[in-house]
Amino acid sequence: MAIEKLDSEDPEPSSRENSYEANSNSASLNSFCSKPTPDFSNTLLSLSQDIQNNILITKRASAKPAVKINRFPASENSREFLKKFYPGTSINEWNDWKWQVRNRIRRLEVLEKMIDLTDDERASVEKRTGNLPIAITPYYTSLLSKTDPHQPLRKTHIPVGGEFIKSLGEDPDPLGEDASTATPGLVHRYPDRVLFLTTGFCSTYCRYCTRSRMVGETNGEYSFSVSQWEKSAQYIEAHPEIRDCLLSGGDPLSIGDDKLEWLLNRLRKIPHLEFIRIGTKIPVVMPQRITKNLCKILKKFHPLWMSIHYTHPDELTPEAIEAANRLADAGIPLGSQTVLLKDINDDAEILKTLYHGLLKMRVKPYYLYQCDPVSGSAHFKTPVSKGLEIIRHLRGHTTGYAVPQFVIDAPDGGGKIPVLPDYVLGRDGDDLLITNYKNGVYRYPDPQGTTGNAQNYLRQNNFDLDKQNGLYKHN
């Protein structure tokens, strides 16, 4: 719940002037009445009192009512964490996003005061240097379990030894983005849209980051600047087929208001660029960044959409809810992007709880990603069949608004490929045989159709539909 403060404002200048004039008139009347004639003294005294009462009522009515100021909320959990680990810090400082950035937990000796690290975690924090360093905002650290190394949020942000093992098929640039770079920081893979990498900075680093190669210390291999932004904007201007631009990074919302406004304004001046999107996790890991001034800036550049990276229901705190509400109130359509992670959110009930919570926050579940094969991510990956199983358990058991697209971002620049459970059982003459979420069998008239022939072939060769994940498997 937002913290509210009643703050009375001074009357408008005109009201103050009227009050002064009324008081002056009242004083003159009292002076006149101080020497009344005997015949009219009682009448004039009564008249004076009535006028003064009316002046008082008018003065009260002219004053502005008290104004409610909505300040950013701080949950009880945040307050307890603040009191314990930052005893000299005010709640206003805690709610300042720049304070959150300055005080990110980046050193082992600080982290150990807040988290009881395992031997594996401690050794991994010490070993982790260069790209993808440890960095967690105080706010998000307050959500991590002090004692349980298996807590989902803790596993996503504190490194373990698996990070340093490169498994088969993994790559520092698993999506082949560098090969599709048109200008430094601009990836042009799809015909009508581009990926605009604005910065290599994130307020908090996820341990499964697809772009781990370019965040933290990269020895100058990746750099970002306003002059680079300008070159990317010029490329977009020179290619009228580009109608859609996704700002990503790093995290674009880690950029200060003035620079971010400059960039959005620069892009909005390109006539053929219809659509701007921002990909971010800041509303989740540092919701204090979503200030009223930021929302006022973003509101200038509609149509502007935002994809927010949510992982687990434990992230849906009062602060995160406030951040999403502010963005939605600014007219920004919000979608969620969630990476499927082993032993963290690879469960239909966990994701259903997350997606229901997001819908209440006006965030549409958009993508559920199979974990990208970035180097050192094997301990996060699930079989693809697990994602299909989750989608099958969501479809029909909750509203379609709560069912995201399950996609694999194909290696080597293949792009996002949707992967769906199969609900087609085969054909029987002119009828298509299909199944639903209850595993019932239904006939749909489809004269001269061919859909279902492949499934008939599979059945004839001893394959059958697995009702758990919608895949055909050999009997």
Side-chain angles (χ1 to χ4, degrees):
M1 180 180 293
I3 298 170
E4 296 184 348
K5 179 182 177 182
L6 291 176
D7 188 15
S8 298
E9 294 184 355
D10 290 334
E12 295 290 338
S14 59
S15 300
R16 291 197 292 271
E17 292 167 1
N18 290 339
S19 298
Y20 174 78
E21 185 179 349
N23 288 336
S24 299
N25 291 338
S26 177
S28 300
L29 184 59
N30 283 337
S31 177
F32 174 78
C33 291
S34 64
K35 297 178 181 180
T37 61
D39 295 336
F40 298 104
S41 61
N42 291 335
T43 302
L44 289 173
L45 183 59
S46 176
L47 178 61
S48 173
Q49 291 173 342
D50 288 345
I51 290 173
Q52 290 186 67
N53 288 337
N54 286 333
I55 290 170
L56 182 61
I57 292 170
T58 303
K59 183 177 179 181
R60 287 174 176 169
S62 66
K64 282 190 172 182
V67 177
K68 288 184 177 181
I69 298 178
N70 288 319
R71 303 195 184 279
F72 207 89
S75 65
E76 188 63 31
N77 180 70
S78 290
R79 290 177 180 273
E80 290 177 359
F81 189 86
L82 174 63
K83 183 178 180 181
K84 184 173 182 180
F85 295 109
Y86 300 94
T89 302
S90 70
I91 197 66
N92 287 336
E93 289 175 300
W94 174 267
N95 280 337
D96 180 353
W97 70 274
K98 293 180 180 178
W99 182 94
Q100 290 282 335
V101 170
R102 288 194 304 270
N103 289 276
R104 292 183 304 157
I105 289 79
R106 303 178 64 190
R107 300 193 311 274
L108 177 61
E109 60 269 25
V110 178
L111 183 62
E112 281 191 308
K113 293 177 181 178
M114 302 172 177
I115 305 289
D116 297 335
L117 298 176
T118 65
D119 292 341
D120 184 20
E121 290 172 329
R122 184 178 297 102
S124 299
V125 172
E126 289 179 325
K127 186 177 180 180
R128 186 84 253 183
T129 59
N131 66 310
L132 197 66
I134 180 171
I136 316 172
T137 59
Y139 161 76
Y140 201 77
T141 306
S142 75
L143 305 183
L144 308 186
S145 172
K146 177 178 175 61
T147 58
D148 183 8
H150 302 293
Q151 186 226 16
L153 298 190
R154 176 166 162 172
K155 292 175 70 173
T156 62
H157 283 78
I158 296 182
V160 294
E163 280 193 17
F164 306 99
I165 301 172
K166 183 178 179 180
S167 301
L168 182 66
E170 293 182 345
D171 191 270
D173 180 18
L175 308 184
E177 291 177 337
D178 290 349
S180 300
T181 297
T183 66
L186 191 74
V187 179
H188 191 182
R189 172 175 297 154
Y190 298 100
D192 69 338
R193 51 203 183 276
V194 289
L195 169 66
F196 194 128
L197 301 176
T198 58
T199 177
F201 181 86
C202 288
S203 64
T204 299
Y205 293 120
C206 305
R207 307 320 305 172
Y208 49 89
C209 178
T210 296
R211 300 195 184 106
S212 58
R213 70 191 185 279
M214 63 173 59
V215 297
E217 297 296 329
T218 61
N219 297 319
E221 184 177 356
Y222 298 95
S223 61
F224 305 87
S225 64
V226 173
S227 61
Q228 182 174 304
W229 294 352
E230 175 59 28
K231 291 177 182 177
S232 295
Q234 290 174 5
Y235 177 89
I236 296 171
E237 281 179 321
H239 290 78
E241 71 275 16
I242 298 173
R243 51 173 293 277
D244 177 0
C245 178
L246 169 61
L247 300 181
S248 187
D251 198 313
L253 293 189
S254 68
I255 301 168
D257 287 356
D258 292 344
K259 282 189 175 181
L260 183 60
E261 185 172 14
W262 181 91
L263 176 57
L264 291 170
N265 187 59
R266 178 68 180 86
L267 294 173
R268 265 286 160 252
K269 289 180 179 178
I270 301 174
H272 56 267
L273 190 61
E274 303 171 4
F275 190 52
I276 299 175
R277 293 177 284 156
I278 295 177
T280 178
K281 193 173 174 64
I282 274 183
V284 182
V285 297
M286 191 171 64
Q288 297 83 0
R289 173 66 180 104
I290 312 304
T291 63
K292 292 183 179 179
N293 189 60
L294 174 64
C295 292
K296 187 184 299 184
I297 290 170
L298 297 177
K299 197 173 183 179
K300 297 177 185 178
F301 300 103
H302 286 313
L304 180 72
W305 292 57
M306 190 172 291
S307 296
I308 306 175
H309 177 184
Y310 295 92
T311 300
H312 192 274
D314 288 351
E315 293 176 325
L316 306 188
T317 64
E319 291 93 335
I321 292 170
E322 174 73 11
N325 284 340
R326 288 186 178 193
L327 292 167
D329 287 345
I332 301 170
L334 305 175
S336 74
Q337 300 190 132
T338 299
V339 180
L340 187 63
L341 301 169
K342 183 179 179 181
D343 298 328
I344 292 170
N345 60 11
D346 57 338
D347 179 88
E349 289 305 312
I350 288 175
L351 287 179
K352 186 192 294 185
T353 301
L354 173 64
Y355 295 149
H356 286 178
L358 291 176
L359 287 180
K360 290 190 289 185
M361 295 160 55
R362 292 176 283 176
V363 181
K364 166 69 176 76
Y366 178 37
Y367 277 138
L368 175 64
Y369 284 102
Q370 177 70 13
C371 186
D372 292 331
V374 65
S375 297
S377 64
H379 57 296
F380 285 118
K381 286 198 284 260
T382 67
V384 173
S385 60
K386 173 56 72 173
L388 291 169
E389 177 185 320
I390 288 171
I391 295 299
R392 190 163 175 93
H393 278 78
L394 291 173
R395 176 66 63 188
H397 295 276
T398 188
T399 171
Y401 282 107
V403 183
Q405 294 187 68
F406 178 47
V407 297
I408 297 175
D409 215 337
D412 301 322
K416 297 178 183 66
I417 299 173
V419 186
L420 299 171
D422 198 342
Y423 292 89
V424 175
L425 298 177
R427 296 191 67 82
D428 184 11
D430 286 338
D431 288 344
L432 177 67
L433 304 180
I434 50 179
T435 185
N436 71 345
Y437 73 103
K438 291 183 177 180
N439 297 314
V441 179
Y442 298 88
R443 290 175 175 267
Y444 180 82
D446 185 34
Q448 300 167 353
T450 58
T451 301
N453 286 340
Q455 286 83 353
N456 279 355
Y457 177 83
L458 289 171
R459 288 178 177 278
Q460 292 165 6
N461 287 274
N462 296 318
F463 285 83
D464 204 358
L465 184 69
D466 187 331
K467 296 178 181 179
Q468 282 288 106
N469 54 37
L471 293 174
Y472 277 85
K473 65 178 183 180
H474 197 267
N475 291 327

